[in-house]
Amino acid sequence: MNAAGFPILSLVTFLPLLGVLVILTVRGEEAVVASNARWTALWTSLVTFALSLVLWFQFDRNSPDFQFVERLEWLPDYGVSYMMGVDGVSVLFVLLSTALTPLCILASWESVQNRVREYMIAFLVLETMMVGMFCALDFMLFYIFFEAVLIPMFLIIGVWGGARRVYAAYKFFLYTFLGSVLMLLAIIAIWYQSGTTSIPEIYEFDIPFAMQVWIFLAFFASFAVKVPMWPVHTWLPDAHVEAPTAGSVILAGVLLKMGAYGFLRFSLPMLPDASQYFAPMIYVLSVVAVVYTSLVALAQQDMKKLIAYSSVAHMGIVTLGIFTFNQQGIEGALFTMLAHGVVSGALFLCVGVLYDREHTREIARYGGVAKIMPAYALVFMLFTMASVALPGTAGFPGEFLVIVGAWAVNPWVALGAATGMVLGACYMLRLYRGVAFGRITREDLKRLLDLSPREYTTFAPLIVLTLWMGVYPQSFLSFFSATVAQMVAQHQAAISAASRFAGL
Amino acid sequence: MFVGAVFFPLLGACVSGFLGRWLGDRVAMWSTVFFMALAAICGLLAFWQVALGGQPQTVVLFTWMQVGELSFSWSLRYDTLAAIMVGMVTLISTLIHLYSIGYMSHDATPSRFFAYLSLFTFMMLMLVTADNLVQLFFGWEGVGLASYLLIGYWYEKDSANAAAMKAFIVNRVGDVFFMLGMALTFFTFGSLEFDAIFGAVQNHVNDVFLGIPSLELIGVLLFLGACGKSAQLGLHTWLPDAMEGPTPVSALIHAATMVTAGVFLICRMSPVMEFAPVALAIVTVVGASTALFAATIGCVQNDIKRIIAYSTCSQLGYMFFAAGVGLYQAAMFHLFTHAFFKALLFLGAGSVIHAMSDEQDIRKMGGIWKKIPVTYAVMWIGSLALAGIPFFAGYYSKDAILEGAVAAGTGVGMYAFVCGAVAAFLTAFYSWRLLILTFHGKPRADHHTMEHVHESPLVMLVPLLLLAVGAITTGFVFAPYFIGDAATAFWNGAIYNLPAKDMMEALHHAPHWVPTLAKTVAISGILLAILIYGFLPHIPGRVAAAAPGPYRFLLNKWYFDELYDRIFVQPARRLAVQLWQVGDARIIDGMPNGAAALAAGASRGTVRLQTGKVASYAFAMIIGLVVFVTLFLTGR
């Protein structure tokens, strides 16, 4: 059947739902239910993660093809099937999702106290949807997962969020949903043309240029909101600010990657000519995103909002890298996505640590935390530096590769992206200085406790990953190489074919 | 040995940083010193074997990144250039670690300080032993981080935090250009490894990018990067503020090692720079201007550490214009000797500050030379070396640089020489101004402070004395190797000079009036300072009063900080707030929120139609029926 010998992708995808069933059957006192729900969710997500590690070890890094493919007929009359598989682009995102979920559950261990059972169910369902989305090789399947992700996230923000949670949840839902409707139209259009919804088969299919343009725009509407690109980014800060810590972690860590993943999975391979045609627009939007949101981040008073805006800036680097159409740029974009998933997730956890203790996210309320929480200050410093892409941490390889890749396309775009290095340092250091440095002026801060063992456990894997990705990024880059090389080659072939055709 | 020299400091940093709380401060401090000493032994052996023995070597550790044709590894490249730096950095860092044990003895968290210091040394060593530009960048940013942490070491002080941020951000501005320089290098050469770049330079001499010769553009971009780290004119503003850090930090990072990384980069890239004459001319002009500019400011500052900081800035200018005229060897030589005497001066200043109960203003010192004779003596040695008085270390290197500037025989070379000569005069002047105001005259500190003036403990004096030995001897011992007869064998191809302009040869044919002039200006600077500050102490005040404009201009450091604040910092802040509150909140969010309001309004209107009264529904139905029937009939 596939390299693992059993349908591993489906298993990884749907295993969390088993945990949901278990949690649903639990009855009893509220405290018992809560505790059981926590432990069940944790163990389910850990087992899922352990299972997904099979992908890490058994994935053939030299093959650019889809691996671990599973296929079942679903609606054969319409060419729709249940098809799962991963290639170099998606495999690490499956792992990222399965790795972040247990950390999120750990992070909400104490901070979520009401409706614990529902909360844990939402997270496990979310995991299923995320993993399914990255594995889906059929358009319909992809669309279902892509949309279904919205529901648990909507609930997580809307039920367990902060004061303006309802506004934020609606904004999040409507923004992302509006784009998705257009994507559905595009999917139907493609299906109408090609008669199939299988992604590998559509890769073989040539779509006429005029059609490509419309389909590209429809996809763009959906993915640009998800990324989010400037100027449709404003739902993100609100969603982040109102979401509970773990919600922010998963939102920044995985959900933001869905848009960029969509570009790589659909726009680039299926619509090469339109992608090339619209690339300058993407460059402009990306550079604006980097500069504009970095500046906005500089003015923020709320820690979470600041990090949310920095996410938009980082995602600007990602979209820029994707549309350079060269090996360095695309691999850099993929690496930035992974690194951002780890680092900004960790930064939100850092904010969460303080929020759990003081119940405020205002920078000005803190100061001098380094004095009483030295271990926390060290951890926070590491992730701050990773966020400003200091070499040796996870942030650097991606940003470096994107800038190198962008330079080959247009040096001014590279310059624009590189200004993010300076502005990024400005806002992150401002944040760090405001929180950790300075003299302690407030009495209540003096009683803060340093990291608890549970928090250490939550941070430890992220710290290891951050350093590992910085010092030996090759173990991650090697997953991408073959697939991206093939993607670049096919893209160039398609472009040159199109230009030859135009020349006739 | 090669690996040990680089990684022992990292080990020390980890031990002190992570285990410091369990080991206790004393053990943590001495453990870092121990590991540094091991590193220094390795480093000196490496220097012996590689530079003096002529056996360059590259130790490849493991692949860092491999993306398409872009591929590079973590590796330690030991050629003469690297070996000089490794030997010098490990040795001086060990001495400064030792000194810090005394200096930081009253601090609350010395293990943290030593961890940072060792971390810095590790990063610096990674920088100098890099075999490709990216690893160099790793060290480059790493020392920036360590510098940031150390400047802001006393993080409860607001000014220290501001200075730390400023240092990091100004450095980042330079790093942007470094990054773009790397991108262009990869675009041009298809590689970022030194051997591949240097081997292919000949094939790319005629490459053009954006209408500019590629190699020139690479040279300029990398130089702009170097400007940030080495505090050259325009990006120098962080260095004086960096003196907020503890004094050993100023000695190690902001004098002896990190700030010279830019010079090192230019020398490392000499095979490329040699083919970029315009870039080299820019390097020369900026270097020479910095040398002069910083020296003018140094003459009027009152903070003992800031004077030495501006002096560092000025000496870095010398190194740059030496490299700019093609005398990389002399630049490296000055870097090498400067490390010893400038570290000596800073540590001496630290000893003074220690003695004066943390007073840094030289106007409040004076009359203490009898109480701290050893410090006084080593400060003299350091100043003599700095001023370039014969037979002290600085004499050999500075002379070579000035001679080289004349020997280059170009317009920019001459400009550099003039700036350098004037700066040499000012250097001598402000050095003795500092010496006299600090040590001589009537005591200007209060009685209480004066009673506490005491010589530093032995653990601080030993490094001072060793550095003093270095400041005296490194000049004449190493001159033959760096710039003398043994130079070709010593450098062993680590630095490339165009055969067409053999600067090493030209150096020996420089006119004889140059060294004489250099000595003359230095000595006259010293005499003038002694005359004014020693015997006519009312003169400086009168001069300042007579020309208040120029005086204030110099005192305020040519208003660079104010200028940058006006044109970069303030507008960026205002723009940030505008973009957030107008751009995001009002315009971008305004549209969907407006649409939502519109939809809500429309639905509220529709709701009003549904009154629930059967009569009005029936009425509407009849009206509709009438309209439709009419349309139907007339339409037919």
Side-chain angles (χ1 to χ4, degrees), chain A residues 163-319:
Chain A
R164 291 173 72 223
R165 57 180 181 263
V166 176
Y167 169 75
Y170 271 103
K171 200 170 176 181
F172 162 73
F173 194 89
L174 290 177
Y175 257 89
T176 44
F177 194 68
L178 191 70
S180 309
V181 174
L182 293 173
M183 182 169 80
L184 183 62
L185 283 178
I187 290 175
I188 294 172
I190 291 179
W191 168 78
Y192 198 71
Q193 285 262 320
S194 65
T196 176
T197 54
S198 156
I199 291 170
E201 282 172 36
I202 299 174
Y203 280 176
E204 308 294 319
F205 187 81
D206 274 335
I207 302 171
F209 179 68
M211 180 111 178
Q212 279 195 22
V213 169
W214 288 108
I215 295 178
F216 183 90
L217 287 175
F219 275 145
F220 180 75
S222 173
F223 297 146
V225 172
K226 279 270 163 136
V227 166
M229 291 175 77
W230 186 87
V232 284
H233 62 277
T234 51
W235 63 269
L236 184 71
D238 282 324
H240 267 312
V241 167
E242 300 308 326
T245 302
S248 293
V249 173
I250 216 80
L251 186 58
V254 183
L255 264 59
L256 292 195
K257 311 301 171 309
M258 288 163 53
Y261 173 76
F263 279 127
L264 274 172
R265 177 62 77 226
F266 302 108
S267 303
L268 236 58
M270 291 180 192
L271 316 164
D273 305 320
S275 301
Q276 193 77 34
Y277 181 73
F278 283 111
M281 177 183 82
I282 306 269
Y283 297 154
V284 171
L285 291 181
S286 303
V287 171
V288 169
V290 171
V291 177
Y292 179 103
T293 50
S294 296
L295 279 170
V296 174
L298 203 53
Q300 298 306 312
Q301 308 299 327
D302 182 308
M303 292 195 261
K304 263 189 159 179
K305 225 170 186 174
L306 194 153
I307 299 169
Y309 274 110
S310 86
S311 292
V312 184
H314 282 124
M315 296 319 280
I317 297 277
V318 170
T319 47

Side-chain angles (χ1 to χ4, degrees), chain B residues 32-53:
Chain B
T32 58
V33 175
F34 170 72
F35 284 118
M36 269 319 301
L38 281 183
I41 293 168
C42 293
L44 293 175
L45 283 176
F47 178 72
W48 179 265
Q49 186 183 332
V50 174
L52 302 178

Side-chain angles (χ1 to χ4, degrees), chain B residues 251-263:
Chain B
L252 178 61
I253 300 186
H254 306 118
T257 55
M258 183 186 87
V259 288
T260 59
V263 182

Side-chain angles (χ1 to χ4, degrees), chain B residues 567-589:
Chain B
I567 58 178
F568 295 119
V569 182
Q570 295 303 337
R573 284 220 181 109
R574 271 200 296 275
L575 185 64
V577 174
Q578 286 292 315
L579 286 180
W580 174 35
Q581 290 175 347
V582 178
D584 257 25
R586 209 171 295 163
I587 299 176
I588 296 178
D589 262 2

